[in-house]
Amino acid sequence: MFEFKNVSYKDILKVDSLRIRKGRATVIVGASGSGKSTLMLMLNKMITPDSGEVYLEGAALSKTDPVALRRRVVMLPQNPAVYDGTVGDNLRIGLEFAEKPAATDEELLEALAFVELDKKLDDDASSLSGGERQRLGLARVLLLKPDVYLLDEPSSALDPKTEASIIGRLVSHVKASGGTVVMVTHSMEVARTQADDLIEVSGGTARPSEVRGRNEE
C-alpha cells in the first residue's frame, strides 16, 4: 500500500526501501526519539521527505492533494485534541471537519461503547482524564471510517487490561472492514499480539522485523 524509496528526512531518518501492506496491522517500534513518529507522519504528508519519495498505491505523495490524502489516511496523535463542549460535540466535530454526513446519537453511543468510554453524549468533555481523552479520540476516528488509521501511541494512558481489550477490538474491526492500521507503540505486548507486520526504527533507519512471541505461549 505504502512504499518508501530512498527517503531521508534531516538527520533523523533514512529509509532506502520499505513497504507497508494493505489490510494489515503494521506496528512501529523503537526507542524514544528514534524517528517512529517521523516515519508515520510521512504517510499523510504532515512531514515531507528532504529526498526520495513515499508512494500510496503507486501514487507519489508529493503530487497528492494533502486534504484528500488526510481524509483517507487519518492520524490520531498520542494526545488527541479535546474541544470545548460535550462528548457528543467532540465526536461530531471530526465528521464536520471531514465534510462527512452527520452521525445519529445511536451511532455516537455505539462508538463510545466500542472504546469502553462510559460517558453520556452531553457530558462535559473538559472533565475527561488522559485515558478517557485517548478513547474519545479513538471513537472520533472510528466514526470517520478512513482507509488507513495512523495511531501514534493510542493507548499509552490506558492500563494494560483496557489497552489489550480496546486495541485488540479496534485492529480486528478495521481489518475486517478492509482497512489498514499503522501504529506506533512502546508496548511490546501490543506489538506481539496485534502486529501482522513489525517495523523497527533504530539508528536513524527503519526496517522490517520479525514479530516474536505470538506463538510462544
Side-chain angles (χ1 to χ4, degrees):
M1 186 171 201
F2 291 98
E3 185 173 8
F4 289 71
K5 291 185 177 180
N6 301 314
V7 166
S8 64
Y9 180 74
K10 298 184 178 179
D11 60 351
I12 298 173
L13 194 65
K14 187 175 186 298
V15 185
D16 293 331
S17 179
L18 185 69
R19 292 177 182 268
I20 295 175
R21 296 189 284 178
K22 184 176 182 178
R24 298 172 71 85
T26 296
V27 176
I28 303 171
V29 298
S32 295
S34 61
K36 301 185 301 297
S37 295
T38 297
L39 178 70
M40 177 176 283
L41 288 167
M42 289 184 188
L43 299 178
N44 72 344
K45 282 184 79 171
M46 296 297 290
I47 288 176
T48 56
D50 295 324
S51 62
E53 186 61 82
V54 182
Y55 297 86
L56 172 58
E57 296 180 334
L61 293 192
S62 63
K63 299 178 181 178
T64 302
D65 175 67
V67 174
L69 174 66
R70 290 168 196 159
R71 288 178 178 173
R72 286 190 64 194
V73 183
V74 173
M75 176 77 175
L76 179 67
Q78 181 175 357
N79 298 305
V82 174
Y83 302 94
D84 291 339
T86 66
V87 167
D89 293 336
N90 271 267
L91 293 176
R92 296 184 188 97
I93 199 168
L95 293 166
E96 292 172 9
F97 285 159
E99 299 182 352
K100 291 194 172 185
T104 64
D105 285 356
E106 182 179 2
E107 290 170 328
L108 299 182
L109 290 169
E110 287 175 354
L112 292 178
F114 189 96
V115 298
E116 302 177 18
L117 183 54
D118 185 17
K119 295 293 179 180
K120 297 177 181 178
L121 295 179
D122 58 0
D123 283 346
D124 183 4
S126 67
S127 65
L128 298 179
S129 68
E132 289 171 336
R133 288 173 178 235
Q134 284 191 328
R135 281 180 276 176
L136 180 65
L138 281 170
R140 190 161 56 210
V141 171
L142 278 165
L143 288 164
L144 295 173
K145 301 177 182 177
D147 293 339
V148 182
Y149 294 69
L150 302 181
L151 310 177
D152 193 356
E153 297 282 2
S155 53
S156 59
L158 304 181
D159 64 84
K161 182 178 179 181
T162 304
E163 176 181 58
S165 174
I166 294 174
I167 298 302
R169 186 183 307 118
L170 173 69
V171 169
S172 296
H173 170 77
V174 173
K175 292 198 298 182
S177 61
T180 301
V181 176
V182 184
M183 176 169 49
V184 167
T185 184
H186 279 98
S187 170
M188 294 313 297
E189 182 65 13
V190 168
R192 183 184 73 83
T193 58
Q194 302 304 326
D196 297 310
D197 299 315
L198 193 68
I199 294 173
E200 183 176 0
V201 182
S202 177
T205 63
R207 60 184 181 277
S209 185
E210 181 182 353
V211 182
R212 299 182 178 90
R214 180 174 294 178
N215 298 315
E216 297 175 1
E217 303 295 344

